[in-house]
Amino acid sequence: MSSSIDEFGEEYRRVMTDAGALEGGLGLFWAVGEDSVGFLQGILSQEIVGLNPGESARSFLLEPRGKLNSLIWVLRGTDRVGIVTDGVLRDQVMRSLSRWMLRVKVELVPDPRPVFDVWGPGGGLPDIDSGWSDSDGLLVGELRRSPIRRRLVAGVTASELEARGVFPIRSGTVDILRVECGEPLMEVDVNEKTIPQETGLVPEAVSFSKGCYLGQELVARIDTRGRVNRHLRGLRFIGKVKPPVGGSVNHEGKVVGTLTTVAESPSWGAQIALSLIRREVEPGTLVTVSWEGDQAEAEVHELPMGMGTS
């Protein structure tokens, strides 16, 4: 079997200078109605009222006790707010939000257009420094700039994107980029048992100056006088190994984490992975990862890992 460097390396290297798109990698729906902004202000962790039309921001949808329900981005419009999700979770997030729509004039509407997860700085797309635009049926939203650019694109077909210079990529290529950028997937790298601060995304996703929102108490309590027991970390493996998802991360005789996403990075020249690691295991620590019949040494990294120099 060929390695992922052979399998996904060409796509990965092209993404560094061009742009590649995974169709269906992201989902999109809209909160429409006169109460949309106020409703989401009271539910989501991010400041919604304070965003200007055309601005975007990362956010959490939390459960009442403060743990994760969904990882999302919001696209603030004048008469609507877009909600960007992981592709397969769009309908699930819509159902979760609808539970709290009591006596409000809000409708949740799926976006019917094809939706693409676009990675890389290139592509003949409208160039916006931040936020999002939706003009003549083509929506482009900036999700991140560093260490590699990521955008949501909706309203074109795959062939139309290719005509603009955006080539198709596969989920395996996106996995490499996600690990390097520290972008977790809900229900893969994090789940309903995860505390927001464990993800490392709180500085981007939470407003500590807004009023109350769903699940706020736990987030605020940890911020002011607490700490979490785990942190999402990157791992860089030493040697030519192929660790599987589910491998146990061990340090000083204890299991301190489990591999959730594993990929082989052409820039690092090694297998890399995401894992929620016990807080006492600091970045730079060497750990042993074990799985059935084998084990390997790996170095713990702060996220984002960035691109290696191999």
Side-chain angles (χ1 to χ4, degrees):
M1 181 181 296
S2 63
S3 73
S4 59
I5 287 182
D6 296 330
E7 186 175 2
F8 303 115
E10 182 179 353
E11 291 178 5
Y12 174 93
R13 283 184 281 269
R14 286 186 65 188
V15 164
M16 295 299 106
T17 54
D18 298 327
L22 175 65
E23 185 169 6
L26 296 169
L28 175 64
F29 66 93
W30 299 90
V32 180
E34 62 184 82
D35 295 335
S36 296
V37 172
F39 166 69
L40 294 174
Q41 178 77 1
I43 297 295
L44 301 181
S45 65
Q46 185 57 265
E47 172 66 48
I48 310 299
V49 171
L51 291 175
N52 294 316
E55 291 186 325
S56 63
R58 193 191 290 271
S59 186
F60 298 130
L61 172 60
L62 303 177
E63 292 294 341
R65 294 187 177 181
K67 294 188 179 181
L68 290 184
N69 177 287
S70 311
L71 305 171
I72 63 174
W73 288 264
V74 293
L75 312 177
R76 174 75 151 90
T78 54
D79 55 357
R80 59 179 182 163
V81 179
I83 306 294
V84 182
T85 72
D86 294 328
V88 298
L89 299 180
R90 184 192 70 177
D91 293 349
Q92 180 177 314
V93 177
M94 290 178 65
R95 288 192 296 270
S96 294
L97 269 179
S98 67
R99 289 185 295 161
W100 308 102
M101 291 169 51
L102 305 174
R103 297 183 296 279
V104 291
K105 295 179 180 179
V106 180
E107 184 180 3
L108 303 181
V109 182
D111 195 301
R113 298 172 290 184
V115 178
F116 295 86
D117 188 6
V118 177
W119 292 80
L125 298 166
D127 191 17
I128 52 177
D129 290 334
S130 61
W132 65 285
S133 67
D134 193 352
S135 178
D136 298 325
L138 175 62
L139 186 153
V140 179
E142 292 283 351
L143 303 184
R144 71 176 305 133
R145 280 282 187 169
S146 178
I148 184 71
R149 192 178 189 184
R150 186 185 189 187
R151 288 166 283 181
L152 163 85
V153 175
V156 290
T157 64
S159 59
E160 289 170 336
L161 264 185
E162 285 195 70
R164 289 173 175 265
V166 181
F167 65 96
I169 58 176
R170 292 165 289 172
S171 59
T173 302
V174 172
D175 282 345
I176 303 170
L177 298 165
R178 285 198 308 101
V179 176
E180 291 178 340
C181 292
E183 286 282 359
L185 273 183
M186 188 68 194
E187 298 186 357
V188 174
D189 305 298
V190 295
N191 56 34
E192 72 283 353
K193 297 179 181 179
T194 306
I195 295 169
Q197 277 90 343
E198 294 176 333
T199 68
L201 301 176
V202 164
E204 301 174 58
V206 174
S207 169
F208 288 98
S209 60
K210 65 181 286 185
C212 295
Y213 59 87
L214 188 68
Q216 179 192 30
E217 183 180 355
L218 176 65
V219 178
R221 185 171 69 245
I222 291 174
D223 182 68
T224 56
R225 60 179 188 273
R227 58 184 180 180
V228 292
N229 291 325
R230 304 180 299 172
H231 296 282
L232 188 70
R233 301 295 192 198
L235 294 171
R236 177 186 62 84
F237 283 82
I238 298 169
K240 300 296 182 181
V241 294
K242 289 191 175 182
V245 169
S248 296
V249 183
N250 308 281
H251 181 62
E252 295 183 346
K254 297 179 181 179
V255 176
V256 295
T258 301
L259 302 185
T260 53
T261 295
V262 180
E264 191 166 7
S265 167
S267 65
W268 283 98
Q271 294 277 351
I272 57 176
L274 291 177
S275 178
L276 282 166
I277 302 288
R278 292 282 305 179
R279 61 179 170 82
E280 59 266 25
V281 183
E282 298 284 349
T285 302
L286 291 179
V287 295
T288 300
V289 180
S290 59
W291 60 97
E292 186 176 356
D294 210 347
Q295 65 178 34
E297 193 174 44
E299 183 182 20
V300 178
H301 280 253
E302 191 99 45
L303 295 172
M305 293 178 66
M307 287 34 182
T309 57
S310 174

